[in-house]
Amino acid sequence: MSDGIGPALPPHLAARTAASSSSSSSSSFSSSSSSSSSSSSSPPEEDIPFPEERSLAAARDFFLSNTINRIVLRKVDQQAYMLLERYLLVRGYESDAAKRVRLLVDKAADNLACATPSFRKDALSLPFRELVECYVLGVMYPKMFSSIRSLYAPEDKEVLRRCRRAIYISQSNLDIPKELQCDQHEAIAELSRLDEYKSPCAKMHCIKRVNDLITRAVATATNNTGVITSDEQIPLWIFVVLKAAPPHLHSNSVYISHFSCSDVATTELGFLLVCFQAASSYILSEQFSSLPGLLAPSLVSSDGSVPRAERRAEKERRVFEGHRPQSAASVARSGANPTLSRSGRSFTMANMRSLDPQRVGGLA
């Protein structure tokens, strides 16, 4: 029979059509129900905490927590290598190169945020930007920092040479208040590792750790009663920089100030960067040459080294002039902190201990 729309199908075809339609509808229902149940049962994507370390390896591991970011990072690597091949870093034009690097960092941050939903709400946060910077600048670091070092090699050599002249300098020579003078060997050791960090962000965090160690040493020496003002902080920084003598101090300062992609001008990192750069600038200034206790320029070679014979002769000259430290036994017997006046000046035990060049973090 016909229902008014078309001719009726033969009985065998009608039965086959009805069976196929029912099976297809049931299969589609089961697939849709299974997909809905699987989607409802899958757990929501969890937020991944930011790592504390600021390094290329830590940033790579963080971003690869989502496997799709492997494609994004591969693209970032290609763009970074292309920029290094096509762009020549020229002294005086670091700002132009920095603009191109920031564009690359911004693009990488956007692509990573688009690829990973959990990154989107943190795409503008400082930790996320720092990790992106650590990855991009970590990839570019070997060739980029090598170019900066070659451009500023004269300044680096001069800073290192002046630091070697200060091997006998004391904290008193830098007018650091006596109550704030203390052993700074931990801060000196940390700053000497500055070249090991690759991104500007990682180097700034190194500077922050140095400042924390300086503050902690003063707090320990004064039983938490010493307060460091900004006027006293810079001389402490100068002392630590002189004793640490990083081999590429000026190049690091240029690299951090130009290629940092994080806005830290109004943060604690920004203030500490100013202290670090102020110490570097002071060492290169004319005021540095008027410091008492410096080695003569002729005693330091062009590469910043002090020959052992010259160092021994200088030490003997200082001992002859009255810079001879007394033993701890004699101090204990006297029950006081004795002084020597052979050269017309008073030298406490604190002054004596800093005269040993091996005791770079000694008291002033």
Side-chain angles (χ1 to χ4, degrees):
M1 293 181 59
S2 173
D3 57 0
I5 298 177
L9 292 174
H12 64 283
L13 293 180
R16 185 181 301 175
T17 303
S20 62
S21 61
S22 63
S23 63
S24 62
S25 62
S26 63
S27 63
S28 62
F29 174 76
S30 62
S31 62
S32 61
S33 62
S34 63
S35 62
S36 62
S37 63
S38 62
S39 61
S40 63
S41 63
S42 60
E45 186 174 356
E46 297 181 356
D47 293 341
I48 303 172
F50 293 114
E52 294 292 334
E53 183 182 357
R54 294 293 181 265
S55 64
L56 173 61
R60 181 187 290 113
D61 293 341
F62 174 74
F63 293 130
L64 289 181
S65 59
N66 186 356
T67 55
I68 197 173
N69 286 332
R70 191 179 301 275
I71 302 175
V72 179
L73 295 184
R74 189 180 300 120
K75 184 67 174 178
V76 172
D77 293 347
Q78 294 174 354
Q79 294 172 345
Y81 295 143
M82 188 179 301
L83 179 61
L84 291 173
E85 291 176 358
R86 295 183 177 182
Y87 196 85
L88 178 64
L89 191 61
V90 179
R91 180 165 179 157
Y93 293 89
E94 295 88 356
S95 298
D96 295 338
K99 290 179 182 178
R100 298 173 184 268
V101 173
R102 289 194 190 99
L103 288 175
L104 181 57
V105 171
D106 292 341
K107 188 174 182 180
D110 293 341
N111 292 338
L112 288 166
C114 290
T116 306
S118 61
F119 291 165
R120 292 172 189 171
K121 62 183 180 64
D122 298 321
L124 298 178
S125 66
L126 181 60
F128 183 79
R129 297 283 304 181
E130 287 180 344
L131 288 171
V132 177
E133 176 189 311
C134 285
Y135 184 83
V136 177
L137 272 300
V139 171
M140 304 178 69
Y141 179 79
K143 187 172 183 179
M144 177 180 291
F145 195 69
S146 175
S147 300
I148 294 175
R149 288 205 320 260
S150 63
L151 291 175
Y152 291 95
E155 286 84 353
D156 286 337
K157 289 182 179 179
E158 181 61 24
V159 170
L160 183 60
R161 189 167 174 270
R162 294 188 176 208
C163 288
R164 299 306 186 195
R165 290 183 60 195
I167 59 175
Y168 292 106
I169 208 75
S170 67
Q171 296 183 30
S172 297
N173 298 138
L174 297 170
D175 295 330
I176 297 174
K178 190 172 182 178
E179 63 272 13
L180 301 182
Q181 297 177 11
C182 56
D183 191 348
Q184 296 288 354
H185 72 277
E186 291 184 347
I188 293 167
E190 177 64 24
L191 186 60
S192 64
R193 300 175 54 215
L194 186 62
D195 278 2
E196 298 178 13
Y197 303 101
K198 297 183 178 181
S199 68
C201 169
K203 292 179 184 290
M204 282 195 292
H205 279 269
C206 172
I207 292 172
K208 183 180 183 303
R209 286 191 295 274
V210 171
N211 189 77
D212 292 342
L213 292 170
I214 291 174
T215 306
R216 188 173 69 185
V218 171
T220 302
T222 60
N223 294 323
N224 295 319
T225 59
V227 178
I228 305 177
T229 64
S230 57
D231 292 337
E232 298 165 341
Q233 196 165 18
I234 292 180
L236 285 168
W237 262 99
I238 293 173
F239 177 78
V240 170
V241 170
L242 286 173
K243 298 302 181 179
H248 306 107
L249 181 67
H250 192 75
S251 294
N252 276 296
S253 180
V254 172
Y255 178 62
I256 296 172
S257 59
H258 282 92
F259 293 95
S260 175
C261 302
S262 305
D263 186 11
V264 297
T266 58
T267 64
E268 181 186 9
L269 288 176
F271 171 73
L272 298 179
L273 178 60
V274 171
C275 293
F276 171 75
Q277 292 176 335
S280 175
S281 299
Y282 175 81
I283 294 173
L284 285 173
S285 68
E286 295 180 358
Q287 298 177 359
F288 175 81
S289 301
S290 62
L291 277 178
L294 294 176
L295 290 178
S298 59
L299 297 180
V300 184
S301 61
S302 59
D303 61 351
S305 61
V306 181
R308 181 172 297 181
E310 300 290 351
R311 183 179 294 187
R312 185 184 301 111
E314 177 66 16
K315 192 171 182 179
E316 291 175 354
R317 182 187 68 80
R318 288 171 177 264
V319 169
F320 179 76
E321 291 180 356
H323 296 257
R324 185 191 303 276
Q326 294 188 2
S327 65
S330 63
V331 175
R333 286 194 299 269
S334 65
N337 198 1
T339 59
L340 298 177
S341 56
R342 188 179 301 176
S343 61
R345 290 183 58 189
S346 295
F347 293 92
T348 64
M349 284 299 295
N351 295 96
M352 301 305 154
R353 295 171 67 186
S354 66
L355 297 179
D356 187 354
Q358 301 299 325
R359 189 178 173 83
V360 294
L363 297 173

